[in-house]
Amino acid sequence: MVAAAVILPKGVRLPGVTDSKKLTPEQRENFFEKIHACALAIGIGAVDNLEIDRINILQATFQAMSSAVGQLALSPDYLLIDGPYSLSLPIEQKGITRGDCLSISIAAASIIAKVHRDRLMCEFHEKFPQYGFDCHKGYGTARHCEALRRFGPCPLHRITFNGVLPYTECRTDGEEPLL
């Protein structure tokens, strides 16, 4: 789980920046560079698969978001949160449903997080090429499901995820988390 926090200068314009899921990988990479060039601060937080299995994906999301805020070089005055949520942080905040479509700051954070995660997945592909992480980035595509059937889960897989659970007897225990 990767989350990002971005502080943009007041009045910044980044035409085309929107929900990262609506952009192509090439567009995200292009905006990633533009956001880095103009942002006042960027923080990235990550939670590994073992912690996600321990606390659940929603709690891991909140943990990654809080960590991202903590990584900012500047203290934010106010947080805009993607979704109807709030974080356990002593900063005034507002959760916005579909925030990555409505706020340039949330959209920028969405792009930063997705590009960072995609780059990590390409690195993970080097360690576990049989899963094709460089192509599907961990989503449950037919190729990924076939690799799970054939090889069982690797140390990156979330064991509590329904698509992985049937193959857990193949997992190597005692592995260090990689994210």
Side-chain angles (χ1 to χ4, degrees):
M1 165 58 56
V2 175
V6 176
I7 299 176
L8 294 171
K10 192 172 186 163
V12 72
R13 302 203 39 92
L14 290 166
V17 167
T18 187
D19 175 2
S20 63
K21 295 179 293 299
K22 294 181 178 182
L23 301 171
T24 66
E26 294 78 20
Q27 289 171 317
R28 287 191 298 263
E29 285 284 346
N30 182 40
F31 284 129
F32 181 89
E33 299 304 326
K34 289 180 179 180
I35 293 163
H36 269 277
C38 72
L40 300 175
I42 294 174
I44 297 175
V47 175
D48 67 56
N49 58 308
L50 300 178
E51 184 71 359
I52 294 168
D53 281 343
R54 191 180 74 73
I55 64 175
N56 80 43
I57 190 67
L58 183 60
Q59 295 307 311
T61 300
F62 296 151
Q63 189 174 318
M65 292 166 87
S66 295
S67 178
V69 172
Q71 294 297 315
L72 290 167
L74 301 172
S75 295
D77 297 324
Y78 196 88
L79 298 176
L80 299 177
I81 310 294
D82 189 17
Y85 309 111
S86 62
L87 302 177
S88 296
L89 294 173
I91 303 170
E92 198 172 341
Q93 55 194 277
K94 179 179 181 175
I96 303 173
T97 301
R98 296 179 33 92
D100 49 6
C101 294
L102 301 172
S103 163
I104 190 169
S105 294
I106 295 174
S110 170
I111 291 166
I112 295 295
K114 189 172 288 294
V115 170
H116 184 83
R117 191 279 322 264
D118 287 354
R119 290 177 180 179
L120 282 174
M121 295 307 290
C122 288
E123 290 176 23
F124 295 153
H125 175 76
E126 298 298 318
K127 289 190 131 187
F128 304 102
Q130 67 270 34
Y131 295 96
F133 290 130
D134 61 331
C135 297
H136 56 70
K137 309 299 189 277
Y139 290 106
T141 63
R143 179 180 176 191
H144 191 182
C145 292
E146 176 55 31
L148 274 170
R149 277 190 290 281
R150 190 166 172 208
F151 304 108
C154 76
L156 290 173
H157 285 99
R158 292 185 294 150
I159 299 307
T160 57
F161 187 70
N162 286 339
V164 175
L165 203 52
Y167 308 105
T168 57
E169 66 276 1
C170 301
R171 181 167 175 163
T172 304
D173 288 330
E175 294 285 342
E176 288 294 316
L178 297 173
L179 181 59

